[in-house]
Amino acid sequence: MSVSGRTIERGRFAPSPTGELHLGNARTALLAWLSARSRGARFTMRIEDLDRPRCRPGLAEKQLEELAWLGLDWDEGPESAPPHTEAGPHGPYRQSQRGPLYDRAIEQLREGGHVYDCFCSRAQIRAAADALHSNDRADATSEASAPHGPQDDGPRYPGTCANLTAAEVATRRKSRAPALRLRVPHEPISFDDAIAGPQQFDPATEVGDFILRRADGVHAYQLAVVVDDAAMEITEVVRGADLLASTARQMLLYRMLGLRIPSWAHVPLLFGPPGIDGQPQRLSKRAGAETLSTMRARGDDPRTIVAQLARSSSLVGDEIAACTPAELLPRFALARLSR
Ligand code: GLU
């Protein structure tokens, strides 16, 4: 964190190589970069490739090339990343290579009595949650990926395995590998978000005891992101507003692990035209959002894309048709972003 007592400020961007980057991802990356660079902070790039089956080979490298094409750079990140300048002391910068760090954190949490084995299948959790009338949300996606909307978290875990005896755990372990869950205390978590303003969440009520490591051994996003942001000495996290609720879970982990909590800034999501339900659709590949890859292949000028993203954030007016990220630095302030 510090060299001779001086804190080194660091921002980051952490793409998942599970889908092509679209304008929404590009805007978040641009704003994270601007926030760091406008304060003279360092910038780290991290590949969040925990969920191997969902990651596409070669996509991480392509994403990094596209971010560099837009005019972004970083001081620390994966070796293959242009314009990588320095290996940095905190790598490797791919989550798939950092498993031992996550396991060490789990051990620390376990020693504090915060972890338990869970033998429930998804179907059992859904059935138990439905029986409690607590929630009947749609299908849960994998905990290894960042949740990008309330439905991504799945039903609140009803605590089925929270109080198994040691003997019960030993018996069940013979027939099924457990997932590991965090015992979530009943306490509201508040924080001040630099863009979204004051926030308060109650993870115990909203999601319940959440997964740290899946039964197949894959570590959960919520744990990995905390271990990594702390190990990489990130002082400011700028990311999409769909991760606001996750922040409370992450703050719990920071506290339990005795780690320094970064500052938070959650940027509004970009929406596309209304979908069949008449509601504006969040940009996504699934919703047909155009990808950076398509724009690049078509020969678009990255400066027009950067200007479009800057206009959509009220950083520049309509008169600016093209600009580089660096040209936006002098006028950048998080507080000036449209909410
Ligand atoms: N890897 C996550 C994503 O692509 C970002 C997580 C984060 O910034 O904390 O959505």
Side-chain angles (χ1 to χ4, degrees):
M1 179 80 40
S2 63
V3 175
S4 62
R6 194 172 66 87
T7 298
I8 296 173
E9 297 290 327
R10 230 187 227 99
R12 50 74 149 180
F13 185 62
S16 302
T18 51
E20 301 267 0
L21 296 177
H22 53 62
L23 285 179
N25 307 125
R27 185 168 78 158
T28 303
L30 173 68
L31 296 176
W33 183 92
L34 285 169
S35 186
R37 294 302 196 211
S38 63
R39 294 177 298 115
R42 299 175 74 83
F43 198 61
T44 296
M45 195 63 76
R46 178 173 71 235
I47 305 298
E48 302 213 322
D49 58 351
L50 280 178
D51 200 355
R52 301 300 282 170
R54 289 183 64 207
C55 293
R56 287 178 20 210
L59 187 56
E61 291 73 13
K62 192 156 169 267
Q63 290 179 330
L64 296 175
E65 273 174 35
E66 286 160 7
L67 294 168
W69 171 70
L70 282 181
L72 306 184
D73 66 353
W74 48 96
D75 306 296
E76 293 143 1
E79 300 288 334
S80 57
H84 167 85
T85 52
E86 188 188 314
H90 315 301
Y93 294 96
R94 286 174 189 269
Q95 290 190 323
S96 57
Q97 297 168 4
R98 297 172 64 82
L101 285 161
Y102 309 141
D103 279 331
R104 221 174 297 153
I106 289 176
E107 273 326 298
Q108 190 183 333
L109 293 167
R110 205 194 269 285
E111 280 160 22
H114 303 302
V115 180
Y116 66 86
D117 288 5
C118 171
F119 298 90
C120 296
S121 67
R122 286 242 168 110
Q124 285 168 330
I125 295 171
R126 212 165 298 130
D130 287 352
L132 283 175
H133 302 292
S134 67
N135 207 322
D136 63 353
R137 287 172 182 161
D139 196 24
T141 57
S142 153
E143 294 82 6
S145 302
H148 287 295
Q151 74 285 359
D152 278 4
D153 281 324
R156 176 183 177 278
Y157 183 61
T160 318
C161 294
N163 297 305
L164 296 179
T165 64
E168 281 170 328
V169 168
T171 309
R172 295 199 192 189
R173 270 184 176 246
K174 286 184 193 143
S175 54
R176 189 183 174 106
L180 304 181
R181 285 189 186 269
L182 186 81
R183 256 179 234 287
V184 175
H186 271 279
E187 78 185 50
I189 304 279
S190 342
F191 58 96
D192 223 341
D193 189 273
I195 298 171
Q199 303 292 318
Q200 194 180 68
F201 293 93
D202 183 1
T205 310
E206 289 152 6
V207 288
D209 297 345
F210 57 86
I211 298 266
L212 300 173
R213 202 178 71 197
R214 294 192 322 212
D216 63 3
V218 175
H219 296 96
Y221 158 74
Q222 305 291 357
L223 174 75
V225 73
V226 168
V227 170
D228 286 349
D229 281 338
M232 293 174 189
E233 300 183 341
I234 303 300
T235 55
E236 180 192 64
V237 170
V238 178
R239 61 186 175 192
D242 48 346
L243 290 167
L244 255 179
S246 290
T247 304
R249 269 166 273 173
Q250 294 166 22
M251 286 178 67
L252 263 181
L253 286 169
Y254 275 100
R255 286 189 199 159
M256 290 174 170
L257 291 165
L259 299 169
R260 185 179 177 281
I261 299 176
S263 64
W264 309 105
H266 287 83
V267 306
L269 301 179
L270 269 185
F271 288 91
I276 39 174
D277 58 359
Q279 299 297 317
Q281 285 186 295
R282 235 188 61 196
L283 284 191
S284 74
K285 183 85 192 302
R286 230 179 311 154
E290 208 169 37
T291 64
L292 287 188
S293 166
T294 307
M295 299 177 202
R296 189 177 179 205
R298 190 167 61 204
D300 286 3
D301 179 351
R303 296 165 63 254
T304 61
I305 299 171
V306 169
Q308 180 189 349
L309 298 173
R311 287 196 305 272
S312 76
S313 310
S314 311
L315 291 178
V316 296
D318 287 345
E319 70 286 358
I320 304 293
C323 64
T324 63
E327 283 163 357
L328 294 168
L329 284 172
R331 63 176 99 201
F332 184 80
L334 270 186
R336 285 190 48 205
L337 291 183
S338 51
R339 290 192 180 178

